[in-house]
């Protein structure tokens, strides 16, 4: 049986509602989706583009055998299970946000790569 390819991924997590609890829950769930998981520290940031309380943000790096599309679907399912709703988003409440930033060499959410906290946190990972 051929060995499945492991894809390196980078995921951004953010929350502005019960943030420490939601971020910990999201990191725990990512442990079941990814292997060799590393988490950056979490830092508080001001909201960008929405009127809301400050966010807690972190990055998660690991490997998956899922396709990029399958992983993104799993991230959206996780967001929903952890309490994210469209109604809350319209009010500036984000229970959890999980965005795939990198899959193999493919980058997603290009604008996020320019955010100071992403640049700061990505440097915490050993290459």
């Amino acid at each position: 049986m051929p060995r499945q390819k492991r894809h390196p991924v980078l995921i951004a997590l953010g929350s502005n509602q019960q943030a420490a609890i939601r971020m910990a829950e999201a990191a725990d769930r990512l442990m079941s989706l990814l292997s060799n998981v590393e988490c950056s520290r979490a830092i508080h940031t001001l909201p960008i583009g929405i009127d809301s309380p400050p966010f807690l943000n972190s990055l998660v790096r690991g490997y998956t055998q899922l396709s990029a599309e399958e992983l993104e679907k799993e991230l959206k399912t996780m967001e929903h299970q952890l309490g994210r709703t469209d109604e809350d988003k319209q009010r500036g409440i984000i229970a959890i946000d999980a965005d795939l930033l990198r899959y193999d060499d493919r980058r997603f959410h290009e604008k996020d790569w320019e955010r100071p906290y992403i640049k700061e946190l990505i440097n915490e990972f050993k290459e």
Side-chain angles (χ1 to χ4, degrees):
M1 179 182 218
R3 196 168 168 190
Q4 285 189 317
K5 182 169 173 29
R6 291 177 359 133
H7 305 276
V9 297
L10 181 67
I11 297 166
L13 295 178
S15 176
N16 68 2
Q17 181 189 55
Q18 299 178 332
I21 293 167
R22 295 264 168 67
M23 297 282 283
E25 290 173 346
D28 283 346
R29 289 178 187 228
L30 288 174
M31 299 264 187
S32 68
L33 288 175
L34 308 176
S35 61
N36 298 87
V37 176
E38 294 179 78
C39 298
S40 73
R41 68 189 161 97
I43 59 175
H44 286 92
T45 62
L46 295 175
I48 299 171
I50 65 170
D51 182 24
S52 82
F55 277 79
L56 191 60
N57 293 97
S58 70
L59 297 178
V60 177
R61 184 168 81 164
Y63 294 86
T64 186
Q65 293 180 342
L66 298 173
S67 69
E69 294 76 20
E70 290 168 330
L71 181 57
E72 285 186 311
K73 184 178 178 189
E74 291 290 338
L75 294 177
K76 295 307 163 202
T77 297
M78 178 184 74
E79 287 177 346
H80 176 74
Q81 290 172 343
L82 293 179
R84 183 170 176 154
T85 67
D86 290 337
E87 295 80 20
D88 282 347
K89 182 179 178 181
Q90 291 173 359
R91 298 182 311 155
I93 298 170
I94 308 296
I96 192 71
D97 185 38
D99 290 327
L100 180 60
L101 294 181
R102 187 181 68 224
Y103 182 93
D104 287 335
D105 292 328
R106 220 167 112 199
R107 285 171 46 145
F108 299 82
H109 300 276
E110 280 297 325
K111 288 182 182 178
D112 290 359
W113 286 89
E114 296 305 314
R115 293 182 177 176
Y117 70 90
I118 296 287
K119 291 179 178 183
E120 179 180 342
L121 294 175
I122 205 165
N123 285 325
E124 293 186 6
F125 294 118
K126 300 173 194 129
E127 285 303 318

